[in-house]
């Protein structure tokens, strides 16, 4: 999981724009500066230090939701899924349109086999941004695992429709090194397998 400095839509600050006195403004700048220090430790792979700083920021300034996401990212990478989910749920309560939190929640619920909640989170991702191909792909994986093959096919096709509009070498959103071309090939291979699974036995045997 990757952590970035800015919010997905480019916002740098998540606190509502209200008039702040000089003391409150300086405090806010201080917390944001501390968050940047935590981010620096994260990028240097000093995860224990980064986690400590993110924890300090989120405890003292809950509105700075990047700190919660930083904690969740580290915990998820350490396979501490339940703890990561707890941090991400806090984000959802503060900003229900924070798409990164919904995507990571979907991934983590999938990992702990809570497919119903994973489905809900990936659908929230699609609601916020219908162009996230991996959200459809992951829904397809969920339905395929549940043997809901027709629903799985629909989601893989949705993913494929988006991917076919992208440059072949472009990296897929929410993947670290997966290209559009590679995910397109995977979708087509899965769809072919599903077609064979759904094909009547007599036709499959050539009878």
């Amino acid at each position: 999981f990757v952590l970035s400095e800015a919010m997905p839509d480019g916002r740098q600050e998540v606190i509502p724009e209200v008039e702040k006195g000089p003391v409150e403004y300086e405090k806010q700048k201080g917390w944001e500066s501390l968050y940047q220090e935590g981010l620096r430790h994260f990028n240097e792979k000093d995860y224990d230090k980064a986690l400590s700083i993110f924890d300090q920021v989120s405890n003292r300034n809950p509105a700075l939701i990047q700190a919660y996401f930083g904690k969740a990212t580290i915990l998820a990478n350490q396979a501490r899924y339940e703890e990561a989910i707890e941090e991400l749920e806090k984000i959802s309560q503060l900003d229900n349109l924070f798409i990164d939190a919904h995507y990571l929640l979907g991934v983590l619920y999938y990992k702990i086999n809570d497919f119903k909640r994973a489905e809900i989170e990936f659908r929230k991702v699609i609601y916020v941004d219908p162009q996230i191909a991996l959200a459809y792909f992951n829904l397809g994986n969920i339905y395929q695992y549940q043997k809901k093959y027709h629903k799985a096919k629909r989601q893989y096709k949705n993913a494929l429709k988006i991917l076919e509009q992208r440059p072949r070498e472009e990296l897929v959103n929410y993947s670290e090194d997966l290209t559009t071309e590679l995910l397109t090939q995977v979708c087509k291979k899965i769809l072919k397998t599903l077609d064979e699974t759904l094909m009547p036995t007599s036709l499959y045997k050539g009878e």
Side-chain angles (χ1 to χ4, degrees):
F1 304 109
V2 181
L3 190 61
S4 60
E5 294 188 29
M7 304 289 283
D9 58 5
R11 290 177 293 161
Q12 295 291 338
E13 187 174 46
V14 298
I15 295 178
E17 290 297 325
V18 295
E19 286 196 29
K20 304 184 183 80
V23 175
E24 289 78 6
Y25 182 76
E26 288 302 319
K27 283 183 178 178
Q28 178 60 24
K29 285 181 63 178
W31 291 121
E32 290 176 352
S33 176
L34 187 59
Y35 168 77
Q36 293 299 326
E37 181 183 343
L39 187 63
R40 178 174 60 81
H41 285 291
F42 179 92
N43 291 332
E44 293 172 354
K45 303 186 186 304
D46 186 355
Y47 299 123
D48 289 339
K49 183 64 175 178
L51 186 60
S52 175
I53 292 174
F54 291 147
D55 194 48
Q56 183 181 353
V57 174
S58 62
N59 285 337
R60 298 295 296 275
N61 187 3
L64 195 62
I65 61 177
Q66 295 102 319
Y68 288 118
F69 191 75
K71 289 168 64 178
T73 302
I74 294 171
L75 293 168
N77 285 333
Q78 294 175 342
R80 296 159 65 180
Y81 301 138
E82 298 286 355
E83 295 173 77
I85 287 171
E86 184 177 344
E87 298 300 323
L88 293 168
E89 292 290 1
K90 293 174 185 175
I91 295 177
S92 296
Q93 293 173 13
L94 292 166
D95 183 355
N96 197 38
L97 297 180
F98 186 42
I99 190 170
D100 288 3
H102 290 307
Y103 185 86
L104 186 48
L105 274 170
V107 170
L108 296 179
Y109 279 130
Y110 185 90
K111 284 182 175 293
I112 65 173
N113 297 324
D114 190 339
F115 300 117
K116 182 60 179 177
R117 289 187 179 180
E119 177 186 357
I120 291 171
E121 294 302 327
F122 287 130
R123 289 198 175 278
K124 287 179 181 178
V125 171
I126 293 167
Y127 174 80
V128 178
D129 186 351
Q131 296 301 307
I132 303 297
L134 270 180
Y136 298 102
F137 182 82
N138 288 328
L139 283 175
N141 289 342
I142 290 170
Y143 294 139
Q144 186 178 17
Y145 181 83
Q146 296 173 331
K147 298 185 179 181
K148 299 176 180 178
Y149 298 128
H150 289 288
K151 295 181 73 172
K153 279 187 63 177
R154 190 178 307 121
Q155 298 306 325
Y156 290 126
K157 286 181 178 179
N158 286 337
L160 197 56
K161 189 182 301 182
I162 294 169
L163 293 168
E164 288 174 342
Q165 299 172 4
R166 304 288 189 186
R168 295 172 59 188
E169 298 305 317
E170 182 179 86
L171 292 179
V172 178
N173 285 339
Y174 294 104
S175 74
E176 294 186 29
D177 53 9
L178 184 63
T179 64
T180 295
E181 182 178 18
L182 180 57
L183 187 57
T184 297
Q185 292 174 357
V186 172
C187 285
K188 288 180 177 179
K189 184 176 181 180
I190 293 174
L191 284 168
K192 181 179 179 181
T193 300
L194 287 174
D195 283 338
E196 293 173 352
T197 300
L198 293 168
M199 186 182 297
T201 304
S202 60
L203 293 177
Y204 185 74
K205 292 181 177 179
E207 296 176 3

